[in-house]
Each structure stands twice: as C-alpha cells, then as structure tokens.
Amino acid sequence: MVRMIDVRRSGDRYRGSEPPSGISSLHAFSFGRHYDPDNLRFGPLLACNEERLAPGAGFDEHPHSHTEIVTWVTEGELTHQDSTGRTTVVRRGDVQHLSAASGVRHVERNDGPAPLTFLQMWLAPLTWDGAPAYSLIRREDLPQDHPDTVVLTLPAAAATLHHLQFTPGRPQPLPEAPLRYVHVLNGEVRVGPAPAEARSGASAAELGPGDSARIGGPAEAPLTLMARGETSAELLVWAMEG
C-alpha cells in the first residue's frame, strides 16, 4: 500500500514581508517574486498564504480572475471591498469566498485597532466562465457541536474545506479524498494510519503550528489525526478530487 505524506515546515515557507508597510507574508507555494518549479500547486490548490497586517496596513485595490479565493481569519478583523460594490468585515473563524471568474478587483485592509492574521487560499476552477460571486459564512453559523465541520463546499474546484478541532487522546479520521492538504492553525498533531492500518507500511507525520502536509494515495486506507502533548489542535483540511 503506497501513500504519500509530504510535510512542509512552517519555517520553510517563503517570506514575502514588507516591513515598512506593516505586512508580513508566508507563502506555502510559489508566489510573486518567489518561483520554485517544483512547488507550483497541489491539485487545484495554487496558494496558501498566511498574512499578518498591522493596524492600518493592507493591500490596495488589485485584480484577480479565474481563481477561487478562500479566506480564514484567525486573529483580528479583515475589511474587504470589491468592484461589485460590496464591503464586509471578516472576523475570527469566519470563512470568505470570492470567485473571481471573468475578473474582479478588491481591497483587503486591517481597519481595526488590533493586529490581523488570516490564511488565504487560492484554487483553480474547473471552468473559466461565469461572473464574479461572493459569500461570507459567519463563525456563529457553522456547526459548533462537531469536531469536523465542513465550512465550505466548492464545486467550482471540486474541493471541500474542513475545520477540525480535537483534544489529546481523541483520535479522529482525516476526511477522505484523492488529495488532501492539511494546515495546522494551532497545537501539535500526528497524522498517520488508523490502528488497524498501523502495520501496513503507511507513513505518519508530526506537525506543529504553521506546518502543512500534502497527502495523496489510495483513499481506502484510512488516516487518523491525534493531538500531541497536553493541548488541543485546530486544523484546516482541503479534501480535493485532484
């Protein structure tokens, strides 16, 4: 049984910081000035950027097209404005989806008094037509009583975003899909074979905050997640068709 778990450490991400502007960025894939031909994408996932904006800092109006842009705020408040006339404030635990489609322009700023941190993920759509679309799911509207919450189903990219929270000693299955991308928001976690598969030769990995894992291989061999140490863990997981 063959399975690939490709671990990428937080400290190995490309730093695209602009200190004078109050912006600090960490890129998991080739992005902007950073080009690595061996790290362009994973399935439909094109970018996974951790952005830190000081109060008053932000990205001025800029264009996007043919990209599904998903944003998860972990700290502070993100002010979003786009060329359709929409203005929203995205808060911790909210998930924002902007389908750029044929073309859209937007502004992203930290207009609040506290530092802002958000994770922004770009995915390639299956088709290149359509008009721009926007949605915002508030944290309070997501299921609160389940450790594995589907926060966004994205048919345009054949992908689903899961938000996982769990405590030490309580393993839970990793969502199944041909391709999976795991990003640790906080805590430490082990991802590996379920007890019944422990002797199958499937690999395992230990991840910390900011670490990620790209997982491919046969979906019928289950993997589980388990928090390490004494603290709980929080993850985002993309389950993708490939």
Side-chain angles (χ1 to χ4, degrees):
M1 185 176 298
V2 177
R3 182 180 297 278
M4 178 272 289
I5 302 180
D6 181 7
V7 174
R8 306 294 176 109
R9 298 299 178 192
S10 175
D12 294 334
R13 292 177 292 182
Y14 170 69
R15 296 182 179 274
S17 306
E18 301 177 24
S21 65
I23 299 173
S24 176
S25 305
L26 294 170
H27 305 300
F29 295 87
S30 291
F31 196 88
R33 295 186 299 272
H34 172 61
Y35 175 73
D36 179 353
D38 296 322
N39 188 27
L40 296 178
R41 63 190 293 170
F42 182 62
L45 190 60
L46 305 173
C48 182
N49 303 333
E50 182 180 307
E51 307 286 1
R52 296 177 181 270
L53 275 59
F59 300 101
D60 294 333
E61 187 176 81
H62 56 281
H64 291 282
S65 65
H66 309 306
T67 311
E68 304 299 316
I69 303 171
V70 178
T71 304
W72 179 276
V73 173
T74 59
E75 178 186 22
E77 296 184 347
L78 169 66
T79 298
H80 163 92
Q81 297 174 290
D82 63 45
S83 53
T84 69
R86 184 179 289 104
T87 299
T88 55
V89 176
V90 190
R91 301 181 178 88
R92 182 179 181 274
D94 294 346
V95 60
Q96 173 185 260
H97 172 219
L98 175 64
S99 181
S102 56
V104 69
R105 303 181 67 86
H106 73 154
V107 176
E108 297 165 300
R109 297 195 57 81
N110 179 7
D111 289 333
L116 165 66
T117 304
F118 63 94
L119 201 69
Q120 189 165 93
M121 300 152 284
W122 297 7
L123 295 91
L126 297 173
T127 61
W128 300 97
D129 55 0
Y134 179 89
S135 66
L136 175 62
I137 304 173
R138 294 294 186 190
R139 181 182 186 183
E140 56 266 26
D141 295 330
L142 294 169
Q144 302 296 315
D145 57 352
H146 197 282
D148 174 7
T149 299
V150 175
V151 297
L152 183 66
T153 300
L154 205 59
T160 301
L161 181 62
H162 299 252
H163 177 229
L164 284 73
Q165 300 181 86
F166 48 99
T167 57
R170 289 190 173 185
Q172 68 182 76
L174 185 68
E176 288 288 358
L179 295 177
R180 287 164 288 181
Y181 184 85
V182 177
H183 178 90
V184 181
L185 294 172
N186 55 66
E188 296 183 341
V189 64
R190 177 188 180 275
V191 55
E197 301 288 340
R199 299 181 183 276
S200 68
S203 57
E206 295 182 351
L207 307 174
D211 290 348
S212 63
R214 307 172 191 191
I215 302 171
E220 58 271 2
L223 293 178
T224 61
L225 296 160
M226 179 177 291
R228 299 175 59 243
E230 302 298 324
T231 61
S232 60
E234 183 181 15
L235 315 174
L236 290 179
V237 177
W238 279 107
M240 302 173 288
E241 291 302 314

